[in-house]
């Protein structure tokens, strides 16, 4: 008996994350790939660093050699191709410069999450790398997604109000990204984010949820934006969809270990 041929499915949109590993699975490469799967894309990865990390913090971090990062990137992009790229932990100036050069030669939208510190306050970017982030990495971005700590690290602006978020976004845009998404999750009140390209403003608000298990929110949001861009969304629509996804993931965040647990990347699947 001859079986009918299995129809060939079209490829899913392809999204690449260039970031560090979180051994606890809540943030970093692991969060990125879970998000990309949940949002209907094929996730791929370039590992930049390995961390020993759990719900209590980061116990150690080791960056990969530049040659290994470049080889991973070329291996994926030259054969498989990408519809969007997201960056996370890049650790050192040399890695930032290398990744920025690779991104500048890639024809795909880039979402830059300028990771500086972990959820627990552990440093994930050398201070000597800040100029490379400002002058080389941020100009490659379609969207840059700093939180308020990262805004202060990059611009010196301490944001304490929504009006301060406007000034912060203007400062970030001066480094060259097409859009700045300043995340106001550390302010009191609703969780509010500001997206602007210097002309249009889009404010995204969600109620602040009473759940301490929020590990991985920044990685998850940036990856969700990249996934939606790979699907063909315009930037404001991609950010709106990503904000909705992350809000649900925070609401479903769960305890893991003895500290701060992760958001639930699969919450939509369990609620279907």
């Amino acid at each position: 008996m001859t079986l009918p041929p299995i129809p060939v499915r079209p490829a899913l949109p392809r999204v690449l994350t260039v970031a560090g590993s979180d051994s606890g699975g809540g943030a970093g490469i692991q969060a990125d790939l879970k998000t990309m799967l949940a949002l209907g894309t094929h996730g791929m990865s370039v590992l930049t660093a390995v961390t020993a990390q759990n719900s209590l913090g980061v116990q150690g971090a080791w960056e990969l050699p530049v040659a290994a990062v470049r080889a991973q990137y070329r291996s994926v992009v030259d054969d498989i191709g990408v519809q969007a790229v997201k960056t996370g932990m890049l650790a050192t100036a040399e890695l930032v410069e290398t990744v920025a050069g690779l991104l500048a030669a890639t024809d795909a939208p880039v979402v830059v999450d300028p990771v500086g510190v972990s959820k627990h306050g552990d440093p994930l970017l050398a201070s000597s790398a800040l100029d490379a982030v400002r002058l080389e990495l941020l100009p490659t971005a379609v969207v840059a997604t700093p939180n308020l700590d990262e805004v202060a690290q990059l611009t010196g602006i301490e944001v304490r109000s929504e009006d301060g978020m406007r000034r912060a976004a203007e400062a970030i845009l001066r480094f060259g990204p097409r859009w700045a998404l300043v995340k106001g999750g550390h302010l009191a009140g609703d969780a509010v984010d500001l997206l602007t390209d210097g002309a249009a403003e889009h404010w995204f608000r969600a109620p602040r949820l009473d759940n301490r298990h929020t590990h991985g929110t920044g990685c998850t949001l940036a990856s969700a934006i990249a996934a939606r861009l790979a699907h063909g969304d315009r930037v404001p629509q991609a950010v709106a969809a990503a904000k909705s996804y992350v809000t649900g993931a925070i609401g479903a965040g769960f305890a893991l270990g003895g500290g701060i647990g992760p958001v639930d990347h699969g919450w939509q699947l369990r609620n279907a």
Side-chain angles (χ1 to χ4, degrees):
M1 177 180 177
T2 303
L3 295 175
I6 298 174
V8 177
R9 291 183 56 202
L12 296 171
R14 291 150 289 169
V15 187
L16 176 64
T17 169
V18 183
S21 168
D22 172 3
S23 56
I29 288 278
Q30 289 83 349
D32 297 341
L33 293 176
K34 292 173 189 178
T35 300
M36 292 167 188
L37 176 65
L39 296 183
T41 64
H42 175 68
M44 305 169 292
S45 62
V46 170
L47 196 64
T48 60
V50 175
T51 68
Q53 188 172 170
N54 55 27
S55 70
L56 300 173
V58 178
Q59 291 78 47
W62 302 266
E63 63 268 15
L64 268 67
V66 163
V69 171
R70 184 181 291 112
Q72 291 175 81
Y73 191 96
R74 291 264 60 93
S75 180
V76 171
V77 173
D78 293 348
D79 173 48
I80 300 171
V82 294
Q83 272 81 54
V85 184
K86 174 261 178 183
T87 72
M89 177 186 177
L90 299 181
T92 68
E94 191 177 19
L95 284 175
V96 172
E97 292 162 0
T98 298
V99 171
L102 292 166
L103 294 172
T106 302
D107 185 19
V110 176
V111 179
V112 170
D113 183 14
V115 174
V117 296
S118 75
K119 175 71 68 178
H120 303 86
D122 303 293
L124 299 176
L125 180 72
S127 58
S128 58
L130 288 173
D131 276 345
V133 172
R134 297 181 187 108
L135 302 177
E136 299 189 47
L137 184 63
L138 287 175
T140 70
V142 168
V143 189
T145 65
N147 63 29
L148 299 188
D149 289 337
E150 291 154 355
V151 162
Q153 193 176 38
L154 291 167
T155 70
I157 296 173
E158 300 283 347
V159 176
R160 295 182 174 84
S161 67
E162 290 186 12
D163 191 57
M165 292 174 68
R166 283 193 176 96
R167 292 189 295 107
E170 291 169 0
I172 293 293
L173 287 173
R174 284 196 286 272
F175 295 127
R178 284 173 51 193
W179 292 83
L181 178 66
V182 175
K183 300 177 294 189
H186 295 168
L187 296 178
D190 287 348
V192 58
D193 304 325
L194 169 61
L195 174 71
T196 180
D197 62 353
E201 277 190 1
H202 304 268
W203 292 88
F204 300 94
R205 299 179 188 276
R208 186 170 299 279
L209 302 175
D210 185 19
N211 187 354
R212 68 188 291 262
H213 301 301
T214 57
H215 185 48
T217 50
C219 303
T220 300
L221 180 66
S223 294
I225 294 168
R228 290 311 317 170
L229 291 175
H231 278 292
D233 287 1
R234 296 171 66 85
V235 170
Q237 287 71 38
V239 173
K243 174 80 169 179
S244 177
Y245 170 73
V246 169
T247 300
I250 292 171
F254 54 93
L256 198 69
I260 299 172
V263 302
D264 183 357
H265 298 93
W267 70 272
Q268 289 176 314
L269 302 175
R270 279 179 271 284
N271 290 348

